[in-house]
Amino acid sequence: MPSLHFEPCDLPPEAETLRGEVREFLAETMAGYPVAKRAKSWVGQDRDFSEKLGARGWLGMTWPKKYGGHERSMLERYVVLEEVLAAGAPVGGHWIADRQSGPLLLEFGTEKQRQLICPRIARGELIFAIGMSEPDSGSDLASIRTRAVKVDGGWVVNGTKIWTSEAHLADYMVALFRTDTDPDDRHAGMSQFLVDMTNPGVTARPIRNITGDLSFNEVSFVDAFIPEDMIVGEEGGGWKQVMAELKFERAGPERYLSSFILLTALIREISQNPGERAAVTLGRLVAHLGTLRQMSLSVAGMQNAGEDPALAGSIVKDLGGIYEQDMPKIAHELIGADPMLMNGGDFEKALAYVTQASVSFSLRGGTREILRGIIARGLDLR
Amino acid sequence: MNELQQMLDDTVTRLFGDLVTKESLQDAETWEESEAVWPDALWRSVEENGLTQPVTPEIMGGVGANWADSYVIARAAGYYAAPIPLVETILGSWLLSRCGLTPPEGTLTVAPVREGESLEVDANGLSGRVTSVPWGRRAGHVVVIARGGAGPIIVLVEGSSAIIEEDCNMAREARDTLIFDNALVVDSAPLTDALGRNPIHLYGAMLRAAQIAGAVQRVLEEGVQYAKDRIQFGRPIAKFQIIQQYLATVGSQSAAAGAAAQNAFRAADRGDPLLDIAAAKVVAGDAATTAASIVHQTHGAIGFTYEHSLHFSTRRLWSWRGEFGGEAYWAEILGRSVARRGADALWSDLTARQAGL
Ligand SMILES: Cc1cc2nc3c(=O)[nH]c(=O)nc-3n(C[C@H](O)[C@H](O)[C@H](O)COP(=O)(O)OP(=O)(O)OC[C@H]3O[C@@H](n4cnc5c(N)ncnc54)[C@H](O)[C@@H]3O)c2cc1C
């Protein structure tokens, strides 16, 4: 049976030095930033903040310098990620681009695409969207129907993507389309494209989510023309590329740090001298938090060593989801708050937000059931 | 794994794999009506291979390795359910050596002095009553922390100097009550400050966390194997998605318990491991609960029989999660510490504590 062992990872001294710099930067830039906004964590949006991070050299950190990167290690990047998340910084503007779209282009894109896009991501200028899901294709991604038909000089796309985060703000989308309707293998016949969101054939319509926010979208493609040099990677190679992309998407510390601001708000609420029940509950949360961090760090260590983090990343995301969904439940049981959205205090607002948002933590980026399917495969059960 | 860890791992795997059999596990259990059989061959080969004193310095007869290396031994002891006081001997020897005393050869145990119990030492010897001493009746020597005139004293006595009331945990592992009445002190020294107030309890919890991590991995593997072998409705039950999802959950729990326990051992090498050990015992204990219940569910009725070997691991999981403090006990310590330090310190404390070198 394959081992589910997470090798401990020690951060090198330069990463700890960097941590100090990031903290200083965050303390300054984030001063006075309200808790209710911090609670939104990596889905909070602020282009200005993204550009500031870019200016510090903290985006595209591991990429080659010739593509605007900084050639630092995965572990240094990890430190920046966990610090901005723990502070509840509004990183939504660059998160997807830095995490998966940039790396995808570096791995599969053309030289021109890399030159065009990657330096701008590293400067924090570009917002990216991920166009995978469709109305009839969620977990079963291979069933997508949005079609790209080859025409002179490019492709014409028709169809609909849905749940596309930040598409209404995005500059680009990396989208998966069907380029062959009758392949032998259901995982063949799909290709990835770089879609300029100013394309007149592409319309993003925000869909309000249960928290009241406009964050995900329905994106329609009506005879949208995409120039041929905007196909990413091989024609027909989309599935393999998407699987590679999902590894980046699933492996990061955002999968257990989304609700960290609620935890700190809870600690303030229960005060420095908690009763036994509060102490036990808090201790249990922190025990799992610390372990998740160890595991997440170990995944970064694997990535740094060039190992495949797919299985380990799925385990962290699965456990992170359990932990993060327990948090609002526990906060509710312990404090018995009745959170008011307008005049509630910081804790109430954070609790209200995470209570609602946490249901999505085990959906986005692959549902709990799908992740456990991946783990089961890792256990050689299927 | 480094070279030493790999070597230790190979050794324990070979040794336990050969010598810890279903029969030996059965024979080693404590029952009212029969005497438990001491697995002498197992103990002797563990000793001959230098596994009993890995963290004791070489000049005192040990291997001079660190806790991070010794993790593989403790984990394997749990994986194989080795029915010997191995981790107790490792801990007792280390504590003696840390206080400047040379550990004796042979089996050692440590007495967790529980709430409401106390041991006193003076010129006449050691006195007091302690319960749930692991392998008490089998211990050549016992290491305890007793109250002395000037503060806590680490005391070494012979096992035979105690009056023993036999008892056992759910796994029928010997957990005896030891009564000392001016027992002859073989050796003693003031407890080294750096060890904290109750190092037997603390490091005992750490070692149990590693054993739990091993046993959770074991029941995971048993569950996976059984699911592939058992046919119902014309196919292996592993083909049912719910079974896959159950076992995936155990897989995640096993990974978490291992990561938490290993982190605690590494923290022990760095010093001041209280909170890391607390976290490890909580996470491992939670994993034990989840894993045992899911793997029993997966096994159906056969897993509920004494004949099947699953229970050798699951009954240990249920026992070990409570020994040296259960989840609630350690969570409370961790929770109080976090609350006292305040919300703003949590993240920096966490990253500093786990910062490595
Ligand atoms: C906040 C949020 C943001 C998102 N952002 C994006 C984005 O930017 N880009 C993008 O492409 N998508 C995005 N998604 C979509 C996300 O990837 C899908 O929600 C997810 O893949 C599940 O698809 P679905 O919602 O259609 O659910 P379905 O696939 O219909 O699943 C419904 C339920 O059935 C279960 N199920 C389905 N198949 C199986 C199976 N084989 N075995 C067992 N159970 C099964 C699921 O686990 C789930 O519980 C986002 C979703 C959310 C909630």
Side-chain angles (χ1 to χ4, degrees), chain A residues 144 177-191 235-239:
Chain A
I144 56 157
F177 300 137
R178 186 154 291 291
T179 44
D180 177 357
T181 46
D182 192 25
D184 300 337
D185 166 1
R186 70 189 294 265
H187 291 150
M190 287 175 276
S191 310
E235 181 181 337
W239 184 259

Side-chain angles (χ1 to χ4, degrees), chain B residues 24-31 36 81-83 135 167-175 306 310-321 323:
Chain B
S24 72
L25 283 172
Q26 226 158 316
D27 291 347
E29 299 208 328
T30 295
W31 294 81
W135 309 102
D167 209 332
C168 63
N169 63 15
M170 271 181 271
R172 299 186 180 277
E173 293 179 302
R175 295 293 184 265
Y306 190 82
L310 180 63
H311 63 86
F312 289 116
S313 299
T314 53
R315 286 184 296 124
R316 280 172 172 77
L317 287 174
W318 292 319
S319 301
W320 292 345
R321 67 181 178 184
E323 292 180 358

Side-chain angles (χ1 to χ4, degrees), chain A residues 130-133 138-139 162-165 216 360 363-365 367 369-370, chain B residues 241:
Chain A
I130 309 161
M132 295 187 192
S133 307
S139 301
I162 200 165
W163 318 128
T164 326
S165 297
F216 55 24
S360 74
L363 299 173
R364 60 182 317 171
T367 68
E369 291 70 27
I370 294 301
Chain B
Q241 198 186 39

Side-chain angles (χ1 to χ4, degrees), chain A residues 1-11 13 16 19 23 78-79 82-83 86-87 256-257 260 263-265 267-268 270-291 293-295 297 314-316 318-319 322 368-373 375-376 379-382, chain B residues 1-2 5 71 75 217 220-221 223-225 227-228 238-239 241 243-257 259-260 262-263 266 270 278-280 282-283 286-287 327-336 338-344 346-357:
Chain A
M1 196 177 87
S3 158
L4 303 181
H5 176 72
F6 282 66
E7 188 61 23
C9 171
D10 288 317
L11 288 168
E16 292 300 341
R19 185 190 302 286
R23 279 189 188 163
Y78 182 84
V79 165
E82 67 173 4
E83 287 299 324
Y256 80 98
L257 278 176
F260 185 72
L263 178 60
T264 51
I267 294 171
R268 286 196 183 88
I270 65 183
S271 86
Q272 290 192 298
N273 203 357
E276 184 184 319
R277 191 165 72 101
V280 169
T281 310
L282 175 60
R284 191 176 237 121
L285 281 174
V286 173
H288 287 280
L289 170 73
T291 303
R293 176 172 186 261
Q294 280 301 305
M295 298 176 84
L297 189 54
S314 297
I315 290 175
V316 177
D318 180 35
L319 291 170
I322 297 171
R368 167 170 297 148
E369 291 70 27
I370 294 301
L371 292 175
R372 288 187 181 166
I375 300 168
L379 292 172
D380 202 18
L381 284 164
R382 47 190 291 249
Chain B
M1 272 196 213
N2 64 29
Q5 289 165 12
Y71 169 70
R75 182 181 173 284
Q217 172 72 22
L220 168 67
E221 289 175 17
V224 167
Q225 193 55 50
K228 288 176 170 179
K239 292 291 161 222
Q241 198 186 39
I243 299 289
Q244 295 172 2
Q245 301 262 321
Y246 277 165
L247 291 171
T249 306
V250 182
S252 293
Q253 292 296 321
S254 167
Q262 198 171 8
N263 177 59
R266 286 157 51 85
R270 293 196 295 267
V282 172
V283 171
D286 283 351
E327 296 89 287
Y329 173 87
W330 288 109
E332 186 179 347
I333 289 180
L334 183 54
R336 285 202 188 287
V338 168
R340 200 177 324 109
R341 298 275 301 150
D344 292 326
L346 175 60
W347 182 250
S348 52
D349 284 356
L350 195 75
T351 50
R353 211 169 60 236
Q354 300 183 337
L357 308 169

Side-chain angles (χ1 to χ4, degrees), chain B residues 154-170:
Chain B
I154 185 162
V155 178
L156 179 70
V157 292
E158 283 185 13
S160 58
S161 69
I163 298 164
I164 290 178
E165 290 170 3
E166 294 195 359
D167 209 332
C168 63
N169 63 15
M170 271 181 271

